[in-house]
Amino acid sequence: MSTQAAPTPDALPSPWPIVARAVALLTAIISVLLIAFAWPSVRSSVHHVPIAVAGPTAAVKQVTAALGQRLPDAFEITEVADTAAAEQLIRDREVYGAIDVSSGTAQVITASAASAAVAQTLHSVATALSQAQAQGTSTAVAVRDLVPLPADDPRGAGLAAGGLPLVMGGLLAALLLTRLVRGTTRRVTAALAFAITGGLAVAAILQFWLGSLNGSYLANTSAIALTIAATSLTILGLESLLGYAGFGLGAATMMLVGNPLSGTSTAPEMLPGWSGTFGQLLPPGAGGQLLRSTAFFDGHGATHSVSVLVTWLALGVVLCLASGLRTRRTATVADTAERPAAHATV
């Protein structure tokens, strides 16, 4: 007579409450992902975008009033006397574009390399500005792109799409190094080495193959490498100090918060509310703005981004060192506790 073995606990079906909790958790996760990536895009609009208006005071006031009536709170306007001053502000990344009425005929000066979305917005209001300048008569407006995107990538698709691989590269670096490399110094060294090699590779692909970047290859490489290093070392430091919880915290910060709020595909000022400003305080946003500066503006406007990235990089190194010191202290205490026991046994 054969007997059937009793099922082990692992083979038993999960209780229904556990199934319900798993479904609820998955629902929460997909909702958070949707909010993180869709909310900034759906709520994107023009608000407080810095531009310049050049020309005589009376004409500038007229243009400013027309802008305020058509798009309230859309622009932060800097008044300048002439075309040269407006162009200098654009090249220094102080403003995204300019309305020039210094010659008596309205001219729109854009910088699609700073933000194709803002340049498109300035195109759309050009007719209204010309009508205001010409007192209601329909006049064609000259639009000039002072700092254009590369001819091989006129929409800036490569630069916009390049933000996610940088974040993913930092995440994968932290994940692999914690699994494959032992020792705090070796992990930090490996992360920095990967940032350099990854920067060289990504910059080469974007600049020489896809044609998405201009400027100095070494400067672009440095911007990308600094972004990768800041991301990977921060996550590596959190993981080394807090374990899986630290890795999850770092991954969520960079992937679910930093990447959607980076403003790389549009402009930080076009994101809803405070999110654009906050996104520039995280590595993905700061890295995207730094790469625009090195690729198209000879490094102008890069100070804030470099400061943010260096701060995150330093934080990651400090966290790694703190974890290493804690590990050494724990090992020393354990060794000290074992010695009396060994003497007692003898």
Side-chain angles (χ1 to χ4, degrees):
M1 186 178 200
S2 62
T3 59
Q4 186 175 1
T8 62
D10 291 339
L12 293 174
S14 299
W16 285 111
I18 292 180
V19 176
R21 285 197 294 270
V23 172
L25 178 60
L26 290 171
T27 303
I29 290 173
I30 196 173
S31 300
V32 170
L33 288 172
L34 177 62
I35 292 171
F37 286 93
W39 173 66
S41 299
V42 172
R43 293 290 183 260
S44 178
S45 62
V46 181
H47 39 264
H48 303 295
V49 172
I51 65 171
V53 178
T57 302
V60 168
K61 296 300 182 186
Q62 190 176 8
V63 170
T64 301
L67 285 173
Q69 184 177 6
R70 176 170 286 270
L71 294 171
D73 299 324
F75 300 106
E76 287 187 359
I77 296 175
T78 299
E79 300 179 5
V80 294
D82 52 31
T83 305
E87 291 181 349
Q88 191 60 48
L89 287 177
I90 294 172
R91 290 192 176 96
D92 290 341
R93 300 207 70 188
E94 304 259 343
V95 298
Y96 282 91
I99 310 299
D100 182 16
V101 291
S102 59
S103 64
T105 302
Q107 176 187 206
V108 175
I109 307 174
T110 65
S112 58
S115 171
V118 173
Q120 184 178 4
T121 299
L122 290 175
H123 273 266
S124 69
V125 300
T127 301
L129 291 175
S130 69
Q131 291 174 350
Q133 178 65 20
Q135 298 181 349
T137 62
S138 179
T139 305
V141 178
V143 180
R144 178 163 57 93
D145 197 347
L146 182 65
V147 189
L149 286 162
D152 289 338
D153 188 9
R155 294 178 296 121
L159 183 61
L164 183 59
L166 295 187
V167 176
M168 290 298 298
L171 277 170
L172 291 175
L175 179 63
L176 291 177
L177 291 177
T178 55
R179 298 294 174 267
L180 301 178
V181 179
R182 290 192 299 271
T184 301
T185 301
R186 285 170 173 77
R187 286 180 177 176
V188 171
T189 302
L192 293 175
F194 165 68
I196 295 172
T197 58
L200 289 168
V202 172
I205 292 171
L206 288 175
Q207 188 157 355
F208 301 129
W209 183 19
L210 300 179
S212 298
L213 302 178
N214 290 336
S216 165
Y217 170 65
L218 291 180
N220 294 333
T221 295
S222 299
I224 295 171
L226 185 57
T227 304
I228 294 175
T231 304
S232 61
L233 280 170
T234 298
I235 299 174
L236 194 64
L238 288 170
E239 195 280 339
S240 64
L241 197 64
L242 303 175
Y244 287 114
F247 182 85
L249 176 62
T253 300
M254 302 300 175
M255 195 73 179
L256 299 182
V257 181
N259 191 63
L261 302 185
S262 66
T264 303
S265 59
T266 55
E269 292 82 2
M270 297 189 72
L271 296 176
W274 48 265
S275 59
T277 302
F278 180 70
Q280 296 308 296
L281 299 177
L282 298 174
Q289 291 302 310
L290 177 59
L291 186 56
R292 283 189 187 274
S293 294
T294 58
F296 305 112
F297 296 91
D298 295 326
H300 292 294
T303 302
H304 176 266
S305 298
V306 171
S307 300
V308 169
L309 292 172
V310 169
T311 299
W312 281 99
L313 191 154
L315 174 64
V317 171
V318 169
L319 292 175
C320 288
L321 293 177
S323 174
L325 291 174
R326 186 183 65 178
T327 301
R328 290 193 192 94
R329 190 179 300 112
T330 302
T332 302
V333 171
D335 183 62
T336 304
E338 288 177 359
R339 289 177 182 175
H343 286 299
T345 302
V346 175

